[in-house]
Amino acid sequence: MAELQRPTLCCCRKALTVPSKSCDGGRPLGHCRLVDIASASNFHSFKLRHFHLDLHLNFALKRMTGWQVLELLPLQPGLQTLVLDTHPSLHIHSVDCKVPGGGGPDAVLPLTYRVEPFTDYGASLHVSLPASPPLRPHRAFQITVRYTTTDGPAIWWLDAELTCGRTRPLVFTQGHSVCNRSFFPCFDTPAVKSTYSATVRVPEGVTVLMSASRSAYSKQDRVFQFSMEFPVPAYLVALVAGDLQHADIGPRSRVWAEPCILTCAVSKLGGSVERWLGVAEGLFGPYVWGRYDIVFLPPSFPIVAMENPCLTFIISSILESQEFLLIDVIHEIAHGWFGNAVTNATWEEMWLSEGLATYAQRRITTEAYGEAFTCLETVFRLDALHRQMRLLGDNNPVSKLQAKFEQGVNPSSLMNLFTYEKGFCFVSYLSQLCGDIKRFDSFLRAYIEQFKFCSVVAQDLLDFFLGFFPDLKESCVAQREGLEFERWLNGCGPPLCEPDLSAGGVLTCPVQRLCEVWGGEDPDTKTIATFDLSAWSTFQTVLFLDRLLDRSPLPHEVMSHLSRCYSALLDGMNAEVQIRWLQIVVRNGFYPDLPRVRSFLHKHTSRMYTVPLYEDLCGGVMKCFAVEVFYQTQARLHPNLRRTLQQILFQTSSASPATTAPPMLTQAPTTTSPTDPPANGTIALRDVNVSA
């Protein structure tokens, strides 16, 4: 009852008088003015109708030069300033304005502007708008910004040596959460959506892709044209350019990759993508984006995958593991409905994207692969959530679904397992409230249809939920039992409840039994031999290894026994399995298997596999070994990753990302004791490494 009687709260933490059920220009209506403290812009004063990018890519100088045209509508009279998000790595050359009635159709007015500091992840561009002719509310005008951008947080230039083929350079962008302000000036908030188009000029032999619904190429002019006909927030605008080839894998899907990995990528996905899309459409309604293409990026891609509309970005390292690849692609497909079509209006409520997408992902895998497989994957992820909870403590505010943060805090720091798994558990709770999973599927279809191409806050979802199930609201009032929405959203700690995962017992019980065998004082060899890990799925194996890792440190005799039983077998498995075994080796100081750690770090150069091992190496007595391996491999590491590892190895301060690459070291800086804790001092990346 308390939940039903409490005042409705908006995203800016003020009481609402009218709940919102519609949107305009990507922002909810009915709310008081939306506040996004991660944006310096005055996005609430304008409607962004469309923007166009015209860019020239210079690989030799590692820079993009060109201009952006924004088509804006003032939402109130007397506006004197336009404020856009930008970044110090983006250099403004000029700003012009074209206003209807301003002295002819081609009249262009130069404008004055200034750039001011905002946070360590951005700056603000203040443009003085013309007084004459005056800007009229809801009448469009154009702003043109000419600029050059180099290697800010959004733009990753890769020398040829850092690509998969090691023959030609490559560049890609990564906008989530607030990085695209270094790609182009923008309203860098998920509350604002617009269509966009782009013209990209490149050297011969370079293929350009963007997160766009339409594209064209002029070979004679080496110009690529793109158009996104559906409104998207700034962070979902993405570009990749390099030596890329494609193969069709379905009627509306193709795989893009460097030539050396294209065949492997196609063989891993086959006709599965169309099957997954079909299952998702049966559950949540039509896929609105037209195409669903995938581009596999080199190991320097900083996350596992990114749901850019029409073109999912995914790290090529994941090709080693069929099951992780399956889950990651299905998760990004789910974002086509939850996150892309309907988007969280602020970064403080990322669970509206990730929690719903994780729930949708598991509905798809249940339909496609059965309940047992989905429950196994869920148990594996919830294990990781509880591991993170033990590290953070039950009262840590980052465990809230509505994670409030102050100005200056990078929203990317809120990307953690609570966003995904606690969000998933809350959505599962809503499903349980309605009493029928098929009825909840119908609700989600209606929710997408209601808020498609809009940005919403949690109250929008919950109001629509109670409106869709009026009997649920009435029964709560009649029985004087309140709903738990407030505790779910603003309470610290683990989920209030978890879904029933007993259907996965056929797959998880053998894992638990083997863990119990190894947990004894003298593990029985004959009993161990009855468990054939080579017949297990990847998720069973990593669940087993994660639970062994939780028990570390293990007695030396047990480590020796484990090594005799499994080291050779695990050598032939994928990287997701290997890294967990090697973390067990490192955390237990088991020197006989240290050569395997060296071999792994020489082979794998992605953040997802290097950072966890280096953190563990530096957290124990193997720091000298870690420094030695780093010297041997640093030339093949992206400068951003090299900088991160230098901070871990030598415990330098974690400053803002520089615009120049850190030097490759030939002699170690003075270090602290090999037994000192890792530089970050809190949570290993393995515990928080999730796809977007």
Side-chain angles (χ1 to χ4, degrees):
M1 288 293 292
E3 171 59 30
L4 293 175
Q5 293 174 349
R6 71 180 178 85
T8 303
L9 299 180
C10 186
C11 45
C12 51
R13 307 156 210 177
K14 298 179 180 178
L16 287 172
T17 55
V18 182
S20 104
K21 297 263 177 92
S22 62
C23 65
D24 178 32
R27 296 192 297 275
L29 289 178
H31 293 276
C32 51
R33 194 171 81 171
L34 185 69
V35 175
D36 184 347
I37 60 174
S39 173
S41 68
N42 58 348
F43 66 91
H44 45 75
S45 298
F46 300 89
K47 178 177 179 179
L48 176 61
R49 195 154 69 180
H50 183 84
F51 70 89
H52 177 77
L53 298 173
D54 193 303
L55 300 172
H56 173 76
L57 308 190
N58 189 319
F59 284 85
L61 298 177
K62 295 183 178 178
R63 71 184 184 191
M64 300 182 186
T65 302
W67 61 87
Q68 174 191 33
V69 180
L70 301 98
E71 187 174 335
L72 298 158
L73 281 77
L75 298 180
Q76 59 197 64
L79 291 173
Q80 299 179 345
T81 306
L82 168 68
V83 185
L84 299 172
D85 292 301
T86 185
H87 191 271
S89 64
L90 191 152
H91 306 290
I92 307 294
H93 302 309
S94 66
V95 182
D96 300 326
C97 179
K98 184 185 294 185
V99 182
D106 297 323
V108 175
L109 304 174
L111 301 180
T112 60
Y113 62 90
R114 69 184 189 279
V115 176
E116 294 187 353
F118 177 57
T119 64
D120 63 358
Y121 57 82
S124 57
L125 171 62
H126 296 251
V127 178
S128 298
L129 298 175
S132 178
L135 300 179
R136 299 178 183 177
H138 305 289
R139 186 170 183 182
F141 70 101
Q142 290 184 348
I143 293 288
T144 300
V145 182
R146 289 172 172 79
Y147 69 96
T148 297
T149 188
T150 52
D151 58 349
I155 303 173
W156 294 63
W157 296 93
L158 305 187
D159 294 330
E161 295 77 14
L162 297 180
T163 65
C164 296
R166 301 186 183 183
T167 56
R168 294 184 179 179
L170 182 142
V171 64
F172 64 83
T173 66
Q174 168 56 22
H176 198 286
S177 301
V178 289
C179 294
N180 264 358
R181 60 190 67 184
S182 68
F183 181 16
F184 52 90
C186 56
F187 295 136
D188 200 358
T189 170
V192 173
K193 293 186 174 186
S194 74
T195 57
Y196 82 90
S197 55
T199 300
V200 185
R201 297 169 172 81
V202 292
E204 187 174 357
V206 174
T207 297
V208 183
L209 308 173
M210 291 192 75
S211 54
S213 53
R214 299 179 184 276
S215 63
Y217 173 57
S218 170
K219 186 174 182 179
Q220 180 179 353
D221 300 322
R222 299 197 300 274
V223 172
F224 288 81
Q225 301 275 0
F226 301 94
S227 174
M228 171 52 84
E229 58 194 303
F230 309 108
V232 296
Y235 78 90
L236 290 178
V237 178
L239 175 150
V240 58
D243 183 15
L244 300 170
Q245 296 182 3
H246 76 270
D248 290 335
I249 56 170
R252 47 183 164 174
S253 301
R254 61 180 42 160
V255 166
W256 291 88
E258 293 179 68
C260 61
I261 62 170
L262 180 60
T263 300
C264 174
V266 171
S267 67
K268 294 282 187 178
L269 291 172
S272 299
V273 170
E274 182 59 30
R275 178 190 177 198
W276 299 333
L277 284 167
V279 172
E281 288 184 311
L283 292 168
F284 311 120
Y287 178 75
V288 299
W289 303 97
R291 295 202 60 82
Y292 181 81
D293 295 341
I294 302 171
V295 57
F296 285 91
L297 297 177
S300 294
F301 188 55
I303 59 176
V304 179
M306 180 63 203
E307 67 271 17
N308 302 309
C310 305
L311 183 67
T312 286
F313 284 18
I314 191 164
I315 194 168
S316 57
S317 309
I318 208 70
L319 286 168
E320 283 197 26
S321 171
Q322 184 70 29
E323 290 178 37
F324 276 80
L325 174 65
L326 176 154
I327 290 297
D328 287 324
V329 173
I330 292 177
H331 183 84
E332 305 314 317
I333 285 175
H335 271 305
W337 288 262
F338 305 99
N340 292 2
V342 182
T343 308
N344 47 284
T346 77
W347 294 118
E348 295 179 325
E349 294 187 326
M350 266 190 279
W351 74 270
L352 284 166
S353 171
E354 298 301 348
L356 280 159
T358 301
Y359 179 88
Q361 161 211 312
R362 289 173 181 154
R363 286 292 293 121
I364 296 168
T365 58
T366 298
E367 295 294 316
Y369 298 101
E371 196 172 0
F373 172 80
T374 299
C375 288
L376 169 64
E377 184 267 335
T378 306
V379 167
F380 163 70
R381 299 293 187 186
L382 289 178
D383 261 22
L385 177 70
H386 291 294
R387 189 175 304 117
Q388 189 174 30
M389 194 76 256
R390 290 193 297 271
L391 290 165
L392 289 172
D394 286 346
N395 295 318
N396 195 303
V398 303
S399 62
K400 293 181 178 182
L401 289 181
Q402 288 185 328
K404 308 304 180 187
F405 61 97
E406 301 304 320
Q407 185 170 316
V409 175
N410 193 321
S412 297
S413 65
L414 299 177
M415 287 290 290
N416 55 49
L417 285 173
F418 296 99
T419 303
Y420 292 76
E421 299 304 333
K422 190 174 180 179
F424 158 75
C425 288
F426 179 44
V427 179
S428 298
Y429 164 74
L430 296 178
S431 174
Q432 292 165 9
L433 284 177
C434 78
D436 185 313
I437 196 168
K438 295 296 185 181
R439 288 183 71 202
F440 194 67
D441 291 342
S442 298
F443 158 72
L444 291 177
R445 283 196 296 273
Y447 167 75
I448 292 295
E449 185 60 32
Q450 175 75 8
F451 295 105
K452 183 170 56 182
F453 304 130
C454 298
S455 299
V456 300
V457 295
Q459 198 64 49
D460 292 312
L461 172 68
L462 298 179
D463 287 345
F464 191 71
F465 176 77
L466 292 175
F468 197 86
F469 299 109
D471 53 330
L472 176 64
K473 183 175 181 179
E474 291 168 5
S475 67
C476 288
V477 173
Q479 299 173 23
R480 297 181 178 275
E481 292 180 0
L483 302 175
E484 298 286 348
F485 297 165
E486 181 67 26
R487 286 182 62 202
W488 272 102
L489 295 177
N490 290 306
C492 297
L496 298 182
C497 62
E498 296 178 4
D500 179 11
L501 302 175
S502 58
V506 66
L507 299 174
T508 58
C509 286
V511 174
Q512 184 57 33
R513 287 197 299 269
L514 184 56
C515 287
E516 291 168 356
V517 171
W518 282 104
E521 292 184 4
D522 185 18
D524 181 66
T525 302
K526 290 184 179 180
T527 304
I528 291 168
T530 64
F531 295 86
D532 182 8
L533 263 64
S534 65
W536 280 11
S537 70
T538 292
F539 279 120
Q540 285 178 294
T541 306
V542 296
L543 181 63
F544 167 63
L545 294 174
D546 273 350
R547 290 182 174 180
L548 282 182
L549 193 60
D550 288 339
R551 300 185 181 198
S552 295
L554 300 167
H556 183 76
E557 297 76 13
V558 172
M559 275 302 304
S560 297
H561 198 172
L562 281 166
S563 181
R564 289 194 302 271
C565 289
Y566 301 133
S567 272
L569 175 66
L570 300 178
D571 281 345
M573 295 188 180
N574 61 66
E576 291 291 338
V577 172
Q578 289 182 38
I579 189 174
R580 287 167 168 83
W581 169 245
L582 296 178
Q583 285 187 282
I584 294 172
V585 167
V586 171
R587 291 192 191 180
N588 287 277
F590 189 67
Y591 285 90
D593 275 1
L594 211 53
R596 288 183 162 90
V597 178
R598 184 191 302 273
S599 298
F600 185 88
L601 289 174
H602 274 262
K603 177 182 178 181
H604 294 280
T605 57
S606 66
R607 178 177 294 267
M608 61 192 285
Y609 295 136
T610 54
V611 171
L613 275 175
Y614 276 104
E615 286 180 331
D616 284 346
L617 286 165
C618 292
V621 295
M622 298 181 175
K623 191 167 187 176
C624 291
F625 170 83
V627 172
E628 178 186 339
V629 174
F630 174 74
Y631 287 159
Q632 295 167 350
T633 59
Q634 62 177 328
R636 295 190 294 111
L637 303 176
H638 189 276
N640 291 354
L641 176 57
R642 195 188 315 150
R643 183 181 298 109
T644 297
L645 295 182
Q646 286 176 358
Q647 291 167 1
I648 293 170
L649 287 165
F650 310 121
Q651 303 203 25
T652 57
S653 62
S654 180
S656 301
T659 56
T660 58
M664 287 190 288
L665 304 179
T666 57
Q667 181 177 356
T670 302
T671 65
T672 52
S673 165
T675 59
D676 284 344
N680 64 6
T682 51
I683 306 169
L685 185 64
R686 169 54 49 190
D687 299 320
V688 297
N689 184 28
V690 288
S691 47

